[in-house]
Amino acid sequence: MPLSSAPLKRRSFLGLTSAAAGASFLPRPLAAQTIDFSQITLRAATFRGADQTLLKETGLDDFPYKVTFSEFNSGNIIAQAINADALDIGGWSEIPMVFAAASGARISIVATLEGPTTDQVLLVPAHSPATSLKDLKGKRIGYIKATTAHYFLIKMLEQQGLSWHDITPVALGMSDGLTAMKSGSLDGWATYGYAIQMLEADKTARILQSAEHILSGHYFIGANPLRLKDPAFCAIAADYLGRLNKAYSTLSNDKPRWAHAVSPVIQVPEPLVLNYLQNQNRPYHLRAWRKTDITSAQDIANTFSQNGFLAKETELEPIFSPALSDALNHQRAVP
């Protein structure tokens, strides 16, 4: 059933969001609508231990609309799912967005999630004699294509006066990369997330270089543009993001609780998860995108273009949509 044909009843969106997060996330005219949100479904992406887990842990998963979660392990696949109209909303870093835009994918960026950059590194086997990336010239280095790992590996090479052609790059998914490092078939692996703590803990690998000061810490929320023309969809999307922002805020102030909730889901020991969370260099915070976010992402697009991974004419501004900006700015304005 088209969203616009949803029946009306006496339930305002203002009341809906007040119950969820203490404020309406929509401009007043839209908040005053009396749409039956229970007839609308939001198809949301989640990483394991992310959105779905965090919303449940904080009790913010009592949606007055329907939400179906699909689990992904990389942002580029989320972008592909939105492009295929198999998903409505999901997050990724600047890099999957750049590749999606270059491919002409049907996606719209509706928000920015600021986050940490401390969980992105180049690993080497624990016994490796390498002391810098220069020592890996000609060696097999794994990376996750079209992700932050792809980008920061390029930048790390540039810092050492090297290029992509000075290594033997091996594109691997997260699980394959983890297996390859454990088997000793890689000389290095550009990766992110809990895999780092797991490989350090079992003494399989050590950190050669961190990408903490290379990455911007910007993650983007992408939405299905086929649905953004409908005010009712924008209403539930804004509410969903408001809830997610509150979940991040709540758990950032109680990281032991966060670790306890996530550990059994991702099957990583709780002390390792807590260590990971406590060492993040900044909290997660969701907001409306800004012009400077586009500029930052455009610099990344240019880097990939200069290295032959993207067409020179890739422009990002057209995929940024203001559809939820008023709602998100309103959320920040309300005490």
Side-chain angles (χ1 to χ4, degrees):
M1 177 175 62
L3 294 182
S4 57
S5 66
L8 302 182
K9 66 182 182 181
R10 296 181 180 277
R11 183 175 188 173
S12 73
F13 189 84
L14 181 60
L16 179 156
T17 53
S18 293
S24 171
F25 302 131
L26 295 175
R28 287 187 177 84
L30 192 53
Q33 291 191 21
T34 53
I35 299 172
D36 182 2
F37 291 98
S38 68
Q39 299 302 305
I40 305 173
T41 298
L42 179 71
R43 299 170 297 174
T46 184
F47 291 95
R48 183 170 297 182
D51 295 26
Q52 187 174 20
T53 301
L54 305 186
L55 289 164
K56 180 179 180 181
E57 172 62 25
T58 52
L60 292 164
D61 61 344
D62 57 337
F63 311 106
Y65 40 88
K66 299 172 185 174
V67 176
T68 58
F69 285 102
S70 296
E71 185 178 298
F72 296 84
N73 61 18
S74 67
N76 53 349
I77 302 177
I78 294 174
Q80 292 169 21
I82 290 180
N83 177 62
D85 193 26
L87 194 67
D88 295 321
I89 199 163
W92 48 65
S93 71
E94 292 162 306
I95 290 80
M97 181 199 71
V98 163
F99 278 87
S103 70
R106 187 175 53 204
I107 60 170
S108 293
I109 302 303
V110 293
T112 298
L113 177 65
E114 297 177 356
T117 59
T118 40
D119 58 344
Q120 315 257 352
V121 305
L122 176 61
L123 295 172
V124 292
H127 56 76
S128 172
T131 59
S132 76
L133 189 49
K134 279 188 176 180
D135 296 324
L136 297 182
K137 186 174 181 179
K139 303 293 187 179
R140 288 170 54 85
I141 302 181
Y143 70 102
I144 306 165
K145 189 175 181 179
T147 67
T148 49
H150 193 169
Y151 174 71
F152 72 66
L153 181 55
I154 292 173
K155 300 302 286 186
M156 286 179 178
L157 287 165
E158 290 178 352
Q159 289 175 352
Q160 298 294 327
L162 302 174
S163 76
W164 196 253
H165 302 292
D166 288 314
I167 62 170
T168 302
V170 184
L172 296 168
M174 178 62 76
S175 59
D176 289 339
L178 191 59
T179 299
M181 280 300 288
K182 285 180 174 291
S183 69
S185 62
L186 290 176
D187 299 298
W189 186 30
T191 190
Y192 44 77
Y194 295 107
I196 301 164
Q197 281 73 26
M198 293 169 64
L199 292 170
E200 284 186 304
D202 67 12
K203 302 189 185 306
T204 295
R206 62 180 174 83
I207 296 173
L208 182 68
Q209 185 176 347
S210 169
E212 178 178 354
H213 301 298
I214 294 175
L215 300 170
S216 68
H218 291 167
Y219 302 85
F220 291 112
I221 306 299
N224 188 334
L226 296 177
R227 302 193 70 182
L228 284 176
K229 294 179 182 179
D230 192 295
F233 173 76
C234 290
I236 66 169
D239 178 75
Y240 177 84
L241 295 181
R243 290 165 179 259
L244 185 59
N245 200 29
K246 185 174 182 181
Y248 274 122
S249 177
T250 299
L251 294 175
S252 290
N253 291 317
D254 192 350
K255 290 187 175 178
R257 177 186 176 188
W258 191 343
H260 184 71
V262 167
S263 173
V265 177
I266 63 173
Q267 297 183 332
V268 174
E270 193 170 320
L272 294 183
V273 178
L274 182 57
N275 177 264
Y276 167 88
L277 294 171
Q278 290 177 333
N279 283 295
Q280 290 177 336
N281 60 345
R282 68 190 74 161
Y284 286 98
H285 175 68
L286 197 149
R287 58 170 172 77
W289 58 264
R290 301 167 183 155
K291 288 284 188 179
T292 52
D293 299 339
I294 303 176
T295 302
S296 172
Q298 189 64 57
D299 288 342
I300 290 172
N302 295 342
T303 292
F304 280 110
S305 295
Q306 291 159 9
N307 283 271
F309 292 104
L310 290 178
K312 299 289 185 182
E313 64 273 10
T314 301
E315 293 294 333
L316 302 181
E317 190 165 2
I319 68 169
F320 281 77
S321 168
L324 302 186
S325 294
D326 284 347
L328 295 173
N329 286 329
H330 176 72
Q331 172 196 356
R332 289 173 58 84
V334 175

